Structures are given as structure tokens and as C-alpha cells.
Amino acid sequence: MLRYTYISLIMERLNLMTDSIRSSIFLGLAFLGILLMNGLYFMMPYEALNPYEYLSGSNLSTFQVLDILIGGAVVPFVALATGYLIHAFRHYGMGNLAKVAAFVLALGIVQTFFIFAFDFLPGLALMALVALLFLKAHWAVSLLAALLLFFFHLTANVLVGFFASVGSPTDISYTAMQDVQEFTSVFRSTDYFAIIALNIELFSRNAVSTLYGLLFTVLPWLLVGMSLGRLDIVRFIRSNPVMHIILFIVLAGGGMAIKMIQVLKLGSYSGRLLAENFGGPVLALGYFLLVMYLTTIVPSSVLEVFRRMGRYFLTLYILSNVVFMLIFYGIGAGMYGEIEITALIWTVLIILVFLMVLATVMHRYRIRSIEDLFAHNSENGINR
């Protein structure tokens, strides 16, 4: 323990960065996208509507820009970061990592019931348990499994649906008015038990299809994150920085170009299907490579605040959802369906700054957090 602490202090003073520190920075930087994505679900019945019908004017224009930047990319990015995190702590063993994933799964389900029905955390934790089966496999096995899952999803689910719908009269994403009315009525009400009941209903609705989707939209990127860690991508970046930048430009530019199809097709079913299931993950991989590059050229002291946010990721994430609930739901300020996208962005930025300050205070005064429940201690635990 003393040796580990001594080595950690030496590396910090030499401005070196380990895989575990790097993975925490990934999670910390992911907070902006996560807050924006969750904010859309908290502020309006985003799950049940077509934004191109629901929004208009400058509000729609702002949403289009936001959707190009984060739509379909946030969850794959977090999955990539989580996969890299699993790689960074692989020496803790499959059993210990499985216990952590099971704990996060249980915590995510509880949060889904009582706070946020559309939380991605349970699905991410469940797929992390599956990804742990590849913990000791060769990197090529993990990468091949990820590619097979992604390309099967792309061909069997995405492209088939895209070509079947494009150009047809039914190529429209309709707003489910009954769900919109139900969401609005319940989430604006002050009846917290009604909110809990709706959350549980939404969580259990279409469970089989949701699980099927997770196997193709989350698991592949967990495996890719693990594979990139084993391939020592950091060494590749340092020896081939220009090629890495070109790769980022190709992936990010290609992902945004694919997502532009949705904008040009005005939110059609085919455009949304292709943008979120192909453009979003490709863009997420580009973002991941960009952040990886930044961790190799930017001093770790500059990124320290994001490392701290990643260190307390679960605590800060749940707290942010509680804040959103108090802002938008009827048990709080009741702003559900009342504010525009621009106001949401400013709200997210304020919450982000608050989380940065809170992470710094928690680190400075060693305040106990949820992460301490599955760590040996606050400094040397698995959540470092």
C-alpha cells in the first residue's frame, strides 16, 4: 500500500499518466455530453416525440446542432471509456470487477425507479458484466467480437430498415401523442408516487427488445475500449501523432456527415435510424481518439479536475439527475416542457461547473462517496 502511494506521488510529480488516471479523465470529460443527453429527456417527452414536429424556429436549429454533436454518440463514448477502464483495472481480477459491475447495475436500477426512467447506467453495467467474459481473451478476439456485433447490427437491423423505409410514404417518425400526454401529465405533477410508477413501467416496457439492442449498441464499444487498451494505443499516438489526428478527422467528420442525413431528411425514420446507429458510434470513436490524444499532450495537472470528476463519477452522476429532477419535474420547479434548448444548454453548463467544484471539494476534504462502497480505500481503490 505504501509502495503504491509512493509510486503514485512520484508519477504525479513527474506529470506522468497511468491508464487508470486516463480512464477517469475520459469519464470526467464525458459529463458534458451526458448532461446534455439526459437533459433532453428531463426537459420534455423526448423519448416519445419527433423533435422536428415538436420544436420550431431557433429552438429547432439549436437542437439540430446539438444533435449533430452528441446524438447517438454519448452512450458509445461512455462505453468506450468504460471498456478502457476495465482494461486499466484488469489486474483486480474478473471476480472483483464483476462485483463492481453488479453493484452499479443494482444502483442504476434503483435510480431508474426513483429518479430517471431513461437512465443508460443499468444497460451499461449489464453489458459490462458480459464484456468481462473477454477480460483474459486476446485483444484480437475482443476486437473481432466487437466488429462482428456492430456489423451484424449495421446490416441486419440498420441498413435493412433504412432501405425499406427510405423514399416510402411511411418514412416518418411520428410523435406518440398518448405517451407525450402521459409523460407531461405525470412528470409535471407533484405526485412523486405517480412518477415512480411511470418510471417502473417505462423500465419494464419492451425489456426483451431493449436487451437485444444493448448487445449491438453498447457491448461492441465496451469490447473496443478494452481492445484499444491492450493494443497500447497511447504508444501508437506518441509515435504517430499525425496519423492519429488524420484518423480522428476522418471518424469525426464521417460521423457528422452521416448525421447530417437526419437533418436533411427532417427527422425521418430512415435518417434517424442511420444517424444514431452508425453516425453516432463513428463520431464517438472519433471523440475517444481525440480525448486520448489530449491526454498525451496536455499536462495531467490541467486535466486534474476531470480526473476528480471521473473519480467520483457515480456520486456526481446520480446527484446531477437529482438536480435535473428538481428543476424539471413537478415535485421541484416544474419546468418540464417549459424551457427551450438554449436554456437547457446554459443549465447544463451551470450544473457542470457545480460538479467540478464539488469534485474538487470532495477530493480536498476526502469526503466519502458512493465509490467508497466498493473500494478498499479512497486512494488505492478500484475507482482511482
Side-chain angles (χ1 to χ4, degrees):
M1 174 178 172
L2 292 176
R3 184 180 65 176
Y4 179 91
T5 304
Y6 176 75
I7 293 174
S8 298
L9 290 173
I10 293 296
M11 295 187 72
E12 184 176 349
R13 293 191 176 183
L14 291 177
N15 206 26
L16 299 177
M17 187 176 296
T18 63
D19 284 340
S20 59
I21 294 176
R22 188 171 283 108
S23 59
S24 294
I25 291 173
F26 288 154
L27 292 175
L29 288 170
F31 258 110
L32 177 59
I34 291 172
L35 292 175
L36 288 169
M37 179 185 70
N38 286 359
L40 289 172
Y41 287 94
F42 271 108
M43 70 172 288
M44 60 182 175
Y46 187 65
E47 175 73 11
L49 56 79
N50 179 358
Y52 289 82
E53 294 179 347
Y54 189 82
L55 305 174
S56 61
S58 60
N59 204 25
L60 176 60
S61 300
T62 306
F63 170 79
Q64 289 175 324
V65 175
L66 182 63
D67 190 49
I68 290 173
L69 294 175
I70 70 167
V74 176
V75 174
F77 179 85
V78 177
L80 284 163
T82 304
Y84 195 86
L85 179 70
I86 291 173
H87 158 75
F89 290 99
R90 63 195 181 280
H91 54 279
Y92 278 84
M94 185 182 299
N96 289 328
L97 292 175
K99 291 177 183 178
V100 174
F103 172 82
V104 175
L105 174 60
L107 184 66
I109 293 174
V110 171
Q111 182 192 217
T112 301
F113 287 174
F114 291 96
I115 302 175
F116 184 38
F118 307 102
D119 191 13
F120 69 89
L121 194 60
L124 178 67
L126 182 61
M127 290 300 103
L129 284 170
V130 179
L132 286 175
L133 297 175
F134 294 84
L135 186 64
K136 297 181 179 180
H138 192 271
W139 66 265
V141 176
S142 301
L143 187 59
L144 179 61
L147 292 176
L148 288 175
L149 286 170
F150 178 67
F151 284 111
F152 175 82
H153 174 59
L154 185 63
T155 55
N157 300 325
V158 179
L159 292 181
V160 170
F162 176 81
F163 288 115
S165 302
V166 66
S168 69
T170 59
D171 189 19
I172 301 174
S173 293
Y174 293 99
T175 296
M177 292 306 302
Q178 184 175 352
D179 287 342
V180 169
Q181 293 171 0
E182 181 183 17
F183 292 176
T184 303
S185 174
V186 173
F187 291 137
R188 277 184 178 175
S189 74
T190 57
D191 187 352
Y192 182 54
F193 292 103
I195 294 176
I196 294 175
L198 181 57
N199 286 347
I200 295 174
E201 177 190 344
L202 292 172
F203 177 79
S204 58
R205 185 186 297 178
N206 302 321
V208 176
S209 61
T210 300
L211 181 60
Y212 175 80
L214 290 172
L215 290 172
F216 300 107
T217 58
V218 175
L219 181 58
W221 304 109
L222 285 166
L223 296 177
V224 170
M226 294 168 62
S227 300
L228 291 178
R230 292 174 191 163
L231 283 169
D232 196 4
I233 188 175
V234 175
R235 180 179 297 179
F236 170 79
I237 294 172
R238 287 172 176 163
S239 58
N240 302 277
V242 176
M243 184 179 296
H244 185 81
I245 293 174
I246 293 174
L247 186 59
F248 157 71
I249 293 174
V250 171
L251 289 172
M256 289 185 182
I258 295 170
K259 291 175 64 62
M260 283 295 296
I261 296 175
Q262 182 179 4
V263 176
L264 297 175
K265 292 178 70 62
L266 300 178
S268 65
Y269 172 78
S270 59
R272 187 170 186 174
L273 185 68
L274 190 64
E276 293 189 355
N277 291 278
F278 185 36
V282 171
L283 180 60
L285 185 57
Y287 285 155
F288 183 79
L289 295 180
L290 173 63
V291 174
M292 183 71 73
Y293 178 71
L294 291 177
T295 60
T296 63
I297 63 172
V298 178
S300 59
S301 57
V302 176
L303 300 173
E304 175 62 17
V305 65
F306 297 106
R307 186 196 72 82
R308 294 171 182 173
M309 293 179 71
R311 159 68 175 81
Y312 298 106
F313 179 83
L314 281 176
T315 302
L316 298 180
Y317 176 70
I318 293 175
L319 179 61
S320 70
N321 286 336
V322 172
V323 172
F324 272 135
M325 182 175 67
L326 294 177
I327 292 174
F328 292 106
Y329 287 1
I331 59 175
M335 300 302 294
Y336 191 84
E338 297 293 331
I339 71 171
E340 295 188 348
I341 302 297
T342 303
L344 171 67
I345 294 174
W346 282 111
T347 302
V348 164
L349 292 176
I350 293 172
I351 294 175
L352 183 65
V353 173
F354 166 71
L355 295 179
M356 287 179 174
V357 173
L358 182 59
T360 301
V361 172
M362 293 177 71
H363 176 79
R364 173 66 177 82
Y365 296 100
R366 300 184 180 276
I367 298 174
R368 295 186 66 83
S369 62
I370 294 174
E371 290 77 9
D372 294 327
L373 295 175
F374 52 81
H376 295 297
N377 58 65
S378 60
E379 289 301 317
N380 304 324
I382 200 169
N383 58 347
R384 168 97 176 143

